[in-house]
C-alpha cells in the first residue's frame, strides 16, 4: 500500500537491492559463515554439528523465502481461487534435506559445508523433528502441502504451532514412558515470523440481542476475554497459529487491581497452543482442546476473509475465491464462525450467508471408529462460545425442518440426524455439523468411502443423495518418501527411466515393470535394499543394542499402537513362531527362514491396553533374543520413539510390512503405500487402501488374509452371544503367556482378557489361522530371492496411483475447483 | 577446540569469509533490505515503521556481533581478571539509537533508511523499551555496563530475562492500573542466542552425608527437580538467563505416568523467569522470588567458573581472575553457591574455600529502609535449598565464634550481628550474609555510605574496622543521558569545547563555565532548552491531552512513587499554590510566574498509599487545569507509564526538578544527576547525591531546603510522643481536601491520616514551610532569565564527577582490581 506513494527511485532502489543470491558454492559458503558470525553470534573455533545445521538451515531458509516472496507477489496479482487446508496436525518431520533437494542445491550445500569442515549427513542428523501430529492424519496433511506446492496450486495450510509436539517415547523396563517433546528448545529456523498478522480471538461472555434500524434482530457477541493469535509460517505455505497474551485493555483484570493475577492470566493465554493432544482416533473432550479448535479456526478464517476482502469483491463471490477443506471434524467450528461473521458482522441474511458457507466448505472423514467421533458437551460449549451455540442450534433447526419436510413423521430419523444428541448433558455431534455445512464429504480410500455411506452417514446419503459423498484415496509424496528417504533407489530409478520426471508424474514408474525381467537390474535393486537394511540394523544397534542380521527377512509393523491395528495379533504370532522353532529339531531349524520382527509406534498415554501391548512386545523380545535355541532365526525389536525421521530409515529397509487391521477399521493407511513404493511387500487384510494397492500391484505381489469388512458385523454378533471360538494355535500362545514364559503373567491378564471377557472385538482369533498361513507364504516366497526381487520391483512400478499429487489433483478438480498457477521456476524439481 | 584439527585451507576459508561489512550507505542499505526479504520475510510493498525498525535493528546487530566476537577473541587470549556485575534488574530502555551512535553510524543508517522510504525518528520510535527493572537500581546497572564497555574493562553483567518487565501503567479515572508488559510479543533483535550455554539448575531434594576415603565428611546435594538456564545476551555484554524445561530424564514424572502433568511441570519451569517483581525498595518474600534469585546466581556462577576453568589455573588464583559485585542483596546466594561448589564439588577445605569466596565478592548496599531489607524464612529456604541452608548456618557459626572471641560475653551483639534472626519462624538476614561474605561493602553516595556505617552495619564496622566500608557515589552515562537524549545540546557543547572528548572524559565540561558569560552562547543554550520543552509539551498533549505552554517554568518530579520520596508533599504544595493564586487579585496574578508541575512514576501494585498519591495528583489536575481563574498560571500533569524512553524526553526539558526525599532516606538518586547534566536546576533536600551535587555546582545553582539527616530521629521521636505540629499553610491545604475541593474527600482520608495518625513519619509538616519558601525562590530566580541561563550552563559545566565512567573507574581501582583492555577500535566513540 505504501509502495504506491513512493517515488520511482525509491522503488528502483528496493528492487535493485532485493535481487536474489547466486547459486555458486562460494556464495553459499559466504551465507553460511555470515549466519554463523551474526545470527548465531559464534566464532568458527566454537562450532559443532548443531550450529552448522542451524547456519545451513538459516541460509537455506533465506533462499526459500526469496522464492516464496516472489510467488506470493505473482499470486497477489492474479488473485485466483485458493484452497485452505485446515488441519489440527501437520507432521512435518525434518525440513532441511527436503528443502535442499527441492531447490536442487543439496550437492552444492554439501560441497560448501564440507569445505567449511563439516559433513552433510551429520549436519542433517542434527535437525529435530517437527512432530506436530499423532500419526497418519498429520502426515497426510504434510504430504498434501508438499503436493500442492509442487503442483503450483494456490493453497495455504492452517494449523497450530504447539510448543510440545507428540511426546517422546522412551522404553523403561519394557514400558512406554512419555516425555514432553520440547522441540522449540532452540529457535526453529524453519519458522518465519509474520508479525504483520496478529488477530484477537475472543472467548466467553454473552450475547446481546438488539433490533437494528430496519427492525431486524441482530446478535452481538460480547466476549469475556481474548487472546492474540500470532502467525508463524513454515516455508511450505503452512501458517501455524500460536497464542499470546492480548495487548488490548482488559478492564476486568484492571478493576480487580490484582497485578499478579493479570500476569498469570496473560501467561495462561499461551497455554492454548502449548501442547498437542497425544490421542490418535480418540476424542479427548477437554475444554482446552475445544479452545484450541476455536482459536485455530477463528484465526484462520479471519486471515482467509482478510485476504478475500483485499480484492473488494461481492460476498457472493466468496465460494468462487475460497475453498476450505476440513481435515477431519477438528476444524468444524469454522463453519459456524463463517456463518457468524457473515450474519453478525457483515450483516448478510441468514440464508445468503448459509449458501456461501455450504458452497465453501468440504469435509474429509477419517474414521468410523465410535470412540473417535467428536462430541462437545453443550454446557461447556455455551460457556466458551455462547454465540456459536445459538448458531449451531439455528443451523440444526433449519436443517431438521427440511429433513422433516422430505421425510415426514420419522422422529427416529430426526433424532439420529440431529446435530444435537439428546444425552445428559446434550452433546454437539461435530461430524453431523460438518456434513450439514459442507458441499462435499469424502472418505480416504474406496472401501472407507463406501463404508461411511452405509454406516455413520447412511441417513445423510438418503437425504442429500449419493453425489455429496465421494472418495479421495489418500496418497504420499514421492519426493520425501522415495527421493529423500531412499536416495540410492531414486537414483537407480532415474537411471533406469532415463530422467527424473517420475518424481512429478509417478505413473511413469510403470516403466520399471520391464526391468523386473533384467537380472542385472534386479541385482542392483536388491543391493540397494540390503544397504538400506544395513542402515536400519545400525539404528537398531544404536537405539536398542540388539544385533540383527541384514540377511534375515525384515518384517516391520510401525504405526500408532491401537487395538484395531492389531500389533497384539502380530506379537501373538511371533510367540507362535518362537514356540514352533523351539519345538523343532536342528534339521528342521536349518530350513527356517530367519526373520527380524520390528515394531515401532506410540500408544496414547492414557490407553492402558495399547501400552500393555508394548510391554508384551518388549517382554517377548527379552526372552526370544536371548534364547540360544533360536539364535538368528528370530529376533524381536521395538524401536523407541518412532517418528518421521525414524520412518525415513525404516521404510526403505523393509522386506515385508504388516497392515493387518480388522477389516473395516483402518480408513486408508498411508504407511502401506510408503513401504510398497520402496519395493517392500506387504501382508495385510482387505482393509483401507490395501485393497486398492492389491488392485494396482496384483495379487502375486501382496499377502492378503483374514475376514472381509462385510463379514465383521456377523462375526462380532456371533462372538458376543455364542462366545469366541479360540483358534488352537492361539490358545497355545495364550497358555504360554499365562504360564509365565514372558515375565509375570499377571501383568498381561488385562490384555488377554480382551480376547475372552472382551469377546475379541477385533477378531484376532477368527483371523489367526489365516494370518499364520500368510506369514508362512511370506517365508516361502522370500526364499526365492530372484522371484522376490521381481515382486519388489513390480511393487514400486505399479504404485503411481498413490502419489499425493494424484490425490490433490482429484480434490482440486472435483471438490475445490481450483487451478494450478505455475510461477517462474528456477528450482530443480 | 575443533579448529585446531582443521586443515589450514579450511581455517583460511573461514577467515576470508568472515570479513566485516563495509560502512558505506549502499552496503548498509543492502543489509537492511536483505533482512526485510529474508529474516522478516516481507516484501517492500508490505512494510511499516515497525518492520523498518526491525530490519535496521537486525542489520545493526550483525555489526555489533562482529565487533563483539572480535573483542571476545582478543580477550580470550589475554585472559585478564574480569568483573561480573550481578544485578536482578537491568533497565536498558531502547537500544538502537544508542548502538548506532556508539558505532558512529547513525547518520549513514539515517541516510540509507531515508532513501528506502522511511524516516529515522519514526523508526527509532517503533522500538519497545526493555524495561527489566523497577527504577534507579536497574538503571544504574545499565549505566555501569555502558561505562564498563566504553572504558574497555573486561566485564559481564548477569541478570534475568523476564518475559514481563515492569508493568505498564495506565491511568483510569485518575487511578493507576497495572497492565502486564509483554515486551517480547515480537522477537527482540537485541537478544543473541547463546545456544552453547545451557545449565541445569537444581531445586529441593535432600542432602546426603558420607565419609570419603580419608574419613572426611562430605555433603552431597541430591536435588528433587531441575530446570534449564539458557543464556540470551544483550549486545552490551549482559547475559540474561531464561528458564526452560530441563531435557534430562525426570523419573518422578515418568513413574507417575501422568503425561499431562509432566507437560504442566515442564511449562512451569518457564515461570521462574516470567515476571519481574514490581516492587521498589520493598521485600516481597515470595517463594518464586527466591527461586529467581537462586536460578540466576547459580547459572551465573556456573558460567563464571566454567570460564575460569578454561585456563587451568589453581583455585587459589580465582580471586585474581574473578571479581563479583553484588548489586544489592538480591544476588547474595552467589556467596553460598560458590562456597558449596568449592567445598562439595571441588573438594576444597572449608577455610580455603571461604578465603577464596570472601576475596571474590563485594557488596553494594542501596538502602537503609527497613522494609527493603531482604529476609527469607528458614523453612521455605530449607525446602528449596537444603544444602545452602546448612552452609549458611555454618558460615554464621564460624563468623559468630570469631565475633565472640573479639567481643566476649556480649549476647546482644551476637544476636544483632547473627545472619539468622531468631523470629518465628527464623529468618535469614541477607544483608548480614552479604557483609560477612564480601571483602568490601559500599554505599552509593557520601551521605549514604556514612549512614550505613552508623546504622544498619554499625556493629560490623566495629568488628571489621572502617576499611571494609567504602563509598562509591553513583554516576550516569553521558552517552545516553546527554548525547542521545539531548542531541542539540550535545552538538552545542562539542562546538563550544572544540571536540567531543568530553563524552568520554566528562570533567572536560568545566570548559563551559567560561561560556556562561557569553550572551550569544546563553541564547543558543536556552533556545535548545525551549525546543526540548516544546518536544515535551507535544508528548503531554499526545498522552494526556493537556495543553501546556513551553514558556512556563517546567517543574518536574519523575521517579517511583513512594512515601519517602514525598510526591505527596509536592502535590500538597501545588494545592497551596493553587489556593494562593485563587485568592489573588488580577493585578497580583500578573506577577505570578506561570508553572507547569509535571509528575511521572509508578507505584508498586500493592502499595495502597502510593497509589492514592497518584489519584490525588490526578484529582488536583482535573480541578486546576479546568479552572479559568488560574488559566496558564498553573497546570498539573501526570505523565502515565514513565519509563526510560519517556525520561529521555522529560529530562532535557526541565527547568527545575524535585528531589525532595526526607533526609536520610534516598541512598543517592541518579535522576538528579541527569537533570542537572542537561542544564536543569534542582530543588532538593540534603539527601543522597544532592549533597555532592551541591558541592560541585555551588549553592547559587541549587535550591536546598528542609531538615538534615542527623535531625530526623529527634524530630520523629518528638512527633511520636508529642504529636505533629501541623504547619498552618499545610493545615489550610488539608482542610481544602477535606472540604471536597478535589473529589470525594473520603477517597483521600487514608493518605491524610499518614500525617496525623501516622505521626507524619516522612516529616512533611516539618519541611513544608521551607519547601514553600524554596519554591518561591525558584519562581523569583526564573524570572531573571539571563541569570537563570548562567545557572543552567554552570550546572552542566560542573557535573563531570557524576559520569558513571568515574564511578566504574573507582570500583575497578579500589574494589575489583581490574584493568581496561582496549581492543582495536573502529567505532566512533
Amino acid at each position: 500500500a505504501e509502495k504506491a506513494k513512493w517515488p520511482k527511485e525509491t522503488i528502483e532502489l528496493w528492487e535493485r537491492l532485493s535481487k536474489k543470491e547466486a547459486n555458486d558454492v562460494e556464495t553459499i559458503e559466504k551465507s553460511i559463515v555470515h549466519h554463523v558470525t551474526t545470527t548465531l553470534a559464534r566464532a568458527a573455533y566454537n562450532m559443532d554439528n548443531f550450529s552448522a545445521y542451524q547456519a545451513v538451515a538459516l541460509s537455506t531458509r533465506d533462499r526459500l523465502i526469496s522464492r516464496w516472496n516472489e510467488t506470493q507477489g505473482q499470486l497477489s496479482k492474479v488473485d485466483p481461487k485458493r484452497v485452505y487446508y485446515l488441519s489440527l496436525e501437520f507432521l512435518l518431520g525434518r525440513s532441511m534435506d527436503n528443502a535442499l533437494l527441492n531447490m536442487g542445491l543439496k550437492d552444492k550445500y554439501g560441497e560448501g559445508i564440507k569445505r567449511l569442515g563439516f559433513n552433510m549427513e551429520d549436519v542433517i542428523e542434527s535437525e529435530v523433528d517437527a512432530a506436530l501430529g499423532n500419526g497418519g492424519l498429520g502426515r497426510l496433511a504434510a504430504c498434501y502441502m508438499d503436493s500442492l506446492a509442487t503442483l503450483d496450486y494456490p493453497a495455504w495450510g492452517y494449523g497450530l504451532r504447539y510448543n510440545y509436539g507428540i511426546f517422546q517415547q522412551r522404553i523403561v523396563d519394557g514400558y512406554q514412558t512419555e516425555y514432553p517433546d520440547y522441540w522449540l528448545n532452540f529457535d526453529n529456523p524453519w519458522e518465519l515470523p509474520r508479525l504483520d498478522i496478529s488477530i484477537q480471538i475472543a472467548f466467553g461472555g454473552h450475547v446481546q440481542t438488539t433490533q437494528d434500524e430496519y427492525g431486524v434482530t441482530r446478535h452481538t457477541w460480547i466476549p469475556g476475554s481474548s487472546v492474540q493469535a500470532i502467525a508463524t509460517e513454515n516455508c511450505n505455505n503452512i501458517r501455524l497459529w500460536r497464542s499470546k497474551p492480548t495487548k488490548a485493555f482488559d478492564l476486568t483484570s484492571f478493576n480487580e487491581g490484582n497485578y499478579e493475577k493479570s500476569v498469570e492470566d496473560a501467561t495462561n493465554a499461551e497455554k492454548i497452543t502449548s501442547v498437542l493432544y497425544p490421542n490418535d482416533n480418540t476424542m479427548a473432550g477437554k475444554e482446552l482442546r475445544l479452545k484450541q479448535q476455536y482459536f485455530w479456526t477463528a484465526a484462520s478464517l479471519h486471515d482467509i476473509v482478510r485476504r478475500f476482502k483485499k480484492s473488494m469483491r461481492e460476498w457472493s463471490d466468496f465460494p468462487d475465491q475460497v475453498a476450505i477443506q476440513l481435515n477431519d471434524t477438528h476444524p468444524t467450528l469454522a463453519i459456524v464462525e463463517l456463518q457468524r461473521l457473515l450474519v453478525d458482522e457483515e450483516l448478510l441474511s441468514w440464508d445468503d450467508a448459509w449458501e456461501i458457507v455450504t458452497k465453501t466448505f468440504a469435509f474429509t472423514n477419517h474414521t468410523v471408529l465410535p470412540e473417535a467421533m467428536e462430541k462437545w458437551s453443550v454446557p461447556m460449549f455455551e460457556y466458551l462460545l455462547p454465540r456459536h451455540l445459538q448458531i449451531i442450534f439455528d443451523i440444526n433447526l433449519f436443517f431438521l425442518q427440511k429433513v422433516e419436510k422430505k421425510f415426514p413423521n420419522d422422529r427416529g430419523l430426526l433424532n439420529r440426524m440431529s446435530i444435537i444428541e439428546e444425552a445428559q448433558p446434550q452433546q454437539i455431534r461435530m461430524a453431523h455439523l460438518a456434513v450439514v455445512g459442507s458441499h462435499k464429504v469424502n472418505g480416504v480410500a474406496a472401501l472407507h468411502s463406501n463404508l461411511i455411506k452405509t454406516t455413520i452417514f447412511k441417513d445423510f446419503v438418503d437425504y442429500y443423495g449419493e453425489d455429496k459423498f465421494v472418495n479421495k484415496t489418500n496418497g504420499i509424496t514421492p519426493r520425501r518418501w522415495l527421493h529423500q528417504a531412499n536416495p540410492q533407489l531414486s537414483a537407480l530409478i532415474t537411471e533406469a527411466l532415463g530422467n527424473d520426471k517420475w518424481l512429478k508424474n509417478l505413473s511413469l514408474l510403470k516403466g520399471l515393470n520391464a526391468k523386473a525381467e533384467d537380472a542385472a537390474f534386479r541385482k542392483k535393486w536388491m543391493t540397494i535394499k540390503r544397504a538400506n537394511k544395513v542402515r536400519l540394523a545400525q539404528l537398531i544397534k544404536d537405539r536398542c543394542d540388539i544385533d540383527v542380521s541384514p540377511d534375515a527377512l525384515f518384517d516391520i509393523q510401525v504405526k500408532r499402537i491401537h487395538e484395531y491395528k492389531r500389533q497384539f495379533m502380530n506379537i501373538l504370532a511371533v510367540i507362535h513362531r518362537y514356540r514352533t522353532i523351539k519345538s523343532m529339531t536342528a534339521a528342521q531349524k536349518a530350513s527356517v527362514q530367519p526373520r527380524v520382527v520390528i515394531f515401532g509406534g506410540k500408544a496414547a498415554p492414557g490407553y492402558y491396553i495399547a501400552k500393555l501391548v508394548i510391554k508384551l512386545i518388549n517382554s517377548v523380545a527379552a526372552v526370544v533374543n536371548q534364547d540360544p535355541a533360536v539364535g538368528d532365526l528370530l529376533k524381536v525389536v521395538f524401536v523407541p520413539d518412532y517418528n518421521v525421521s525414524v520412518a525415513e530409515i525404516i521404510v526403505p529397509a523393509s522386506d515385508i510390512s504388516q497392515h493387518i487391521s480388522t477389516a473395516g477399521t483402518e480408513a486408508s493407511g498411508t504407511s502401506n503405500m510408503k513401504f510398497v513404493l520402496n519395493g517392500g511387500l506387504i501382508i495385510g487384510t482387505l482393509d483401507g487402501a490395501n485393497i486398492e494397492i492389491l488392485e494396482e500391484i496384483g495379487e502375486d505381489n501382496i499377502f492378503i488374509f483374514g475376514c472381509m469388512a462385510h463379514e465383521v458385523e456377523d462375526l462380532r454378533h456371533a462372538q458376543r452371544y455364542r462366545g469366541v471360538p479360540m483358534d488352537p494355535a492361539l490358545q497355545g500362545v495364550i497358555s504360554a503367556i499365562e504360564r509365565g514364559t514372558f515375565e509375570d503373567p499377571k501383568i498381561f491378564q488385562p490384555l488377554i482378557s480382551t480376547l475372552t471377557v472382551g469377546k475379541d472385538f477385533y477378531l484376532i482369533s477368527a483371523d489367526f489361522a489365516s494370518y499364520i498361513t500368510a506369514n508362512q507364504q511370506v517365508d516361502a516366497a522370500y526364499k526365492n530371492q530372484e522371484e522376490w526381487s521381481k515382486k519388489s520391483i513390480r511393487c514400486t512400478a505399479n504404485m503411481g496411483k498413490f502419489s499425493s499429487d494424484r490425490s490433490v489433483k482429484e480434490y482440486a478438480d472435483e471438490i475445490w475447483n481450483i487451478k494450478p498457477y505455475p510461477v517462474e521456476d528456477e528450482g530443480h524439481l
Side-chain angles (χ1 to χ4, degrees), chain A:
Chain A
E2 290 190 41
K3 194 183 186 179
K5 284 177 276 167
W6 280 351
K8 204 164 121 262
E9 56 277 19
T10 305
I11 295 171
E12 279 168 6
L13 181 64
W14 274 95
E15 279 168 4
R16 180 162 63 78
L17 296 177
S18 309
K19 69 168 186 283
K20 264 173 288 187
E21 284 182 77
N23 284 341
D24 59 292
V25 174
E26 169 103 4
T27 304
I28 287 169
E29 284 168 351
K30 211 168 164 178
S31 138
I32 293 171
V33 170
H34 182 71
H35 277 296
V36 167
T37 53
T38 61
T39 318
L40 303 180
R42 277 190 181 247
Y45 54 81
N46 189 16
M47 289 275 294
D48 54 16
N49 279 325
F50 184 70
S51 324
Y53 152 69
Q54 289 185 299
V56 173
L58 289 162
S59 163
T60 308
R61 192 188 86 147
D62 287 350
R63 285 165 187 273
L64 283 177
I65 295 171
S66 298
R67 284 157 201 242
W68 185 89
N69 276 338
E70 202 171 305
T71 308
Q72 291 310 309
Q74 291 188 35
L75 272 183
S76 293
K77 284 176 210 147
V78 181
D79 195 26
K81 181 171 184 179
R82 293 171 175 90
V83 64
Y84 298 97
Y85 195 81
L86 269 58
S87 181
L88 204 41
E89 305 186 5
F90 286 92
L91 197 42
L92 295 166
R94 290 177 179 152
S95 293
M96 195 169 76
D97 197 3
N98 199 248
L100 288 173
L101 285 168
N102 282 349
M103 291 197 297
L105 292 176
K106 187 172 176 185
D107 291 347
K108 284 188 181 157
Y109 267 86
E111 194 185 328
I113 198 74
K114 192 173 173 189
R115 283 168 29 128
L116 290 168
F118 292 87
N119 172 292
M120 193 54 150
E121 289 307 306
D122 299 336
V123 170
I124 286 173
E125 275 298 308
S126 299
E127 182 172 355
V128 173
D129 272 41
L132 307 184
N134 276 282
L137 179 144
R139 183 55 229 176
L140 183 76
C143 281
Y144 281 5
M145 293 316 297
D146 180 273
S147 286
L148 286 163
T150 303
L151 301 180
D152 295 317
Y153 283 110
W156 290 90
Y158 281 111
L160 290 183
R161 190 267 211 174
Y162 305 103
N163 292 340
Y164 295 88
I166 187 70
F167 61 87
Q168 286 180 24
Q169 179 194 58
R170 307 198 192 166
I171 302 300
V172 179
D173 195 24
Y175 290 96
Q176 165 175 303
T177 50
E178 300 93 21
Y179 193 75
D181 165 55
Y182 195 56
W183 70 297
L184 295 170
N185 216 336
F186 301 108
D187 289 336
N188 175 15
W190 305 106
E191 196 172 273
L192 318 184
R194 287 256 60 113
L195 302 178
D196 44 332
I197 295 162
S198 149
I199 299 164
Q200 295 280 116
I201 306 296
F203 287 101
H206 64 280
V207 179
Q208 208 169 62
T209 306
T210 49
Q211 306 274 320
D212 73 8
E213 51 194 314
Y214 309 103
V216 180
T217 301
R218 293 287 174 200
H219 301 278
T220 313
W221 180 20
I222 314 293
S225 65
S226 71
V227 299
Q228 219 185 152
I230 300 275
T232 61
E233 213 139 75
N234 177 286
C235 299
N236 244 349
N237 262 23
I238 301 171
R239 189 160 277 186
L240 301 178
W241 301 104
R242 54 198 290 212
S243 56
K244 288 261 183 181
T246 181
K247 290 200 292 184
F249 206 88
D250 183 345
L251 269 173
T252 327
S253 301
F254 278 132
N255 293 340
E256 288 171 1
N258 188 337
Y259 176 67
E260 286 189 46
K261 188 177 172 304
S262 68
V263 170
E264 179 86 16
D265 286 353
T267 306
N268 277 339
E270 301 191 27
K271 276 203 183 155
I272 293 179
T273 54
S274 171
V275 60
L276 166 76
Y277 274 83
N279 296 315
D280 196 47
N281 279 313
T282 46
M283 156 75 187
K286 298 276 175 72
E287 183 178 325
L288 184 61
R289 172 79 168 195
L290 182 57
K291 273 191 163 176
Q292 288 186 337
Q293 293 188 355
Y294 179 65
F295 172 83
W296 157 55
T297 52
S300 307
L301 259 186
H302 190 284
D303 207 37
I304 292 167
V305 165
R306 180 187 59 76
R307 199 173 291 114
F308 171 76
K309 280 186 162 181
K310 269 197 212 163
S311 56
M312 315 291 284
R313 296 173 203 256
E314 298 288 312
W315 274 111
S316 55
D317 290 344
F318 193 79
D320 302 326
Q321 288 296 107
V322 173
I324 303 178
Q325 188 67 32
L326 307 174
N327 194 27
D328 210 325
T329 54
H330 312 142
T332 304
L333 280 173
I335 290 170
V336 190
E337 175 72 358
L338 182 56
Q339 181 72 6
R340 186 186 73 80
L341 288 175
L342 295 177
V343 172
D344 291 1
E345 300 193 359
E346 303 293 338
L347 307 182
L348 270 67
S349 77
W350 178 277
D351 290 342
D352 288 351
W354 188 242
E355 195 184 337
I356 292 169
V357 168
T358 48
K359 280 180 173 171
T360 300
F361 286 95
F363 162 51
T364 302
N365 170 282
H366 280 276
T367 178
V368 296
L369 295 180
E371 64 266 39
M373 293 294 151
E374 280 200 314
K375 293 174 187 177
W376 294 107
S377 133
V378 165
M380 187 223 283
F381 195 99
E382 184 169 27
Y383 170 74
L384 280 182
L385 299 166
R387 177 59 185 144
H388 295 77
L389 186 68
Q390 288 181 344
I391 293 171
I392 290 172
F393 273 104
D394 282 348
I395 292 171
N396 195 38
L397 176 68
F398 302 143
F399 169 64
L400 291 181
Q401 282 171 348
K402 286 188 199 147
V403 175
E404 164 77 13
K405 207 164 172 186
K406 188 159 185 176
F407 302 112
N409 303 319
D410 188 344
R411 293 215 182 164
L413 181 73
L414 295 182
N415 212 19
R416 290 200 306 276
M417 294 182 77
S418 174
I419 295 169
I420 304 299
E421 182 177 278
E422 295 300 336
Q424 286 297 338
Q426 288 181 312
Q427 303 282 324
I428 307 168
R429 293 163 167 157
M430 299 305 271
H432 289 200
L433 181 55
V435 170
V436 172
S438 297
H439 63 99
K440 289 281 181 198
V441 176
N442 74 284
V444 293
L447 172 69
H448 169 242
S449 297
N450 281 328
L451 267 179
I452 62 175
K453 283 158 72 173
T454 54
T455 59
I456 53 173
F457 300 141
K458 183 177 181 306
D459 295 324
F460 292 89
V461 175
D462 293 345
Y463 173 71
Y464 286 113
E466 292 265 350
D467 287 356
K468 179 164 180 167
F469 298 85
V470 297
N471 174 53
K472 296 283 161 274
T473 299
N474 283 346
I476 57 170
T477 167
R479 270 81 60 188
R480 180 175 290 257
W481 293 111
L482 212 175
H483 186 50
Q484 178 188 323
N486 202 343
Q488 289 188 63
L489 199 69
S490 175
L492 179 63
I493 293 170
T494 296
E495 185 194 308
L497 299 180
N499 59 56
D500 67 1
K501 288 185 182 150
W502 59 275
L503 280 172
K504 283 183 151 186
N505 181 359
L506 202 62
S507 55
L508 294 174
L509 289 180
K510 286 262 184 253
L512 293 176
N513 274 316
K515 292 283 180 180
E517 308 310 321
D518 173 347
F521 183 81
R522 289 204 303 271
K523 195 170 173 204
K524 285 186 195 168
W525 188 270
M526 294 306 278
T527 304
I528 291 168
K529 175 64 78 181
R530 193 175 187 286
N532 291 331
K533 288 169 74 176
V534 167
R535 185 169 67 157
L536 174 56
Q538 187 59 49
L539 181 139
I540 290 169
K541 180 66 183 165
D542 294 344
R543 302 223 175 165
C544 315
D545 198 25
I546 299 171
D547 292 294
V548 300
S549 163
D551 295 317
L553 187 158
F554 274 23
D555 166 0
I556 295 170
Q557 187 176 19
V558 283
K559 45 186 75 211
R560 285 300 287 252
I561 312 293
H562 209 294
E563 285 170 280
Y564 84 80
K565 293 179 188 281
R566 301 202 291 192
Q567 287 94 348
F568 186 29
M569 184 168 77
N570 187 347
I571 191 65
L572 291 170
V574 168
I575 297 172
H576 177 70
R577 177 176 291 261
Y578 172 61
R579 284 163 46 80
T580 307
I581 294 170
K582 291 274 278 185
S583 69
M584 284 176 172
T585 64
Q588 287 172 316
K589 282 183 189 172
S591 65
V592 169
Q593 168 59 45
R595 190 186 279 228
V596 180
V597 185
I598 298 162
F599 293 87
K602 295 171 184 177
Y607 193 168
Y608 179 59
I609 292 296
K611 290 170 91 168
L612 269 189
V613 172
I614 294 174
K615 172 64 178 166
L616 180 59
I617 292 167
N618 283 306
S619 296
V620 171
V623 171
V624 169
N625 296 343
Q626 304 304 323
D627 193 335
V630 172
D632 268 351
L633 297 184
L634 179 62
K635 293 283 178 198
V636 182
V637 174
F638 188 92
V639 178
D641 204 38
Y642 177 67
N643 62 13
V644 172
S645 298
V646 173
E648 288 168 24
I649 306 292
I650 288 180
V651 166
S654 91
D655 294 308
I656 192 91
S657 66
Q658 307 233 7
H659 309 275
I660 58 177
S661 51
T662 312
T665 60
E666 186 77 272
S668 160
T670 47
S671 78
N672 43 8
M673 301 169 187
K674 293 164 198 164
F675 282 105
V676 182
L677 181 62
N678 282 276
L681 277 64
I682 65 178
I683 177 170
T685 47
L686 285 170
D687 197 25
N690 289 353
I691 297 170
E692 287 155 271
I693 293 173
L694 163 66
E695 285 168 5
E696 295 295 312
I697 66 176
E699 58 185 10
D700 290 345
N701 303 313
I702 186 168
F703 301 87
I704 294 291
F705 72 94
C707 66
M708 294 200 284
H710 67 268
E711 302 165 345
V712 165
E713 259 323 290
D714 289 349
L715 271 164
R716 282 182 179 157
H717 187 269
Q719 293 188 172
R720 192 169 299 125
Y721 297 103
R722 275 175 262 148
V724 181
M726 201 60 73
D727 176 87
L730 179 58
Q731 187 56 61
V733 169
I734 291 170
S735 303
I737 297 172
E738 288 178 338
R739 277 199 309 275
T741 313
F742 313 100
E743 275 193 269
D744 182 353
K746 279 204 295 292
I747 296 170
F748 304 113
Q749 199 49 58
L751 189 52
I752 305 294
S753 293
T754 62
L755 301 176
T756 52
V757 183
K759 305 292 185 190
D760 192 13
F761 188 78
Y762 293 103
L763 305 176
I764 288 175
S765 178
D767 282 353
F768 201 71
S770 66
Y771 180 51
I772 299 294
T773 307
N775 266 306
Q776 287 162 350
Q777 289 163 354
V778 170
D779 287 334
Y782 192 73
K783 289 208 164 165
N784 186 341
Q785 281 285 298
E786 285 302 321
E787 279 307 308
W788 185 273
S789 64
K790 289 182 195 169
K791 290 178 198 289
S792 173
I793 295 165
R794 287 181 193 130
C795 275
T796 303
N798 294 294
M799 284 297 286
K801 170 174 174 179
F802 300 100
S803 169
S804 45
D805 298 349
R806 186 269 315 149
S807 312
V808 154
K809 246 179 245 162
E810 287 181 15
Y811 277 99
D813 294 344
E814 297 160 30
I815 297 183
W816 304 331
N817 192 26
I818 60 163
K819 287 188 189 55
Y821 282 85
V823 287
E824 182 205 343
D825 183 21
E826 298 172 300
H828 166 66
L829 288 175

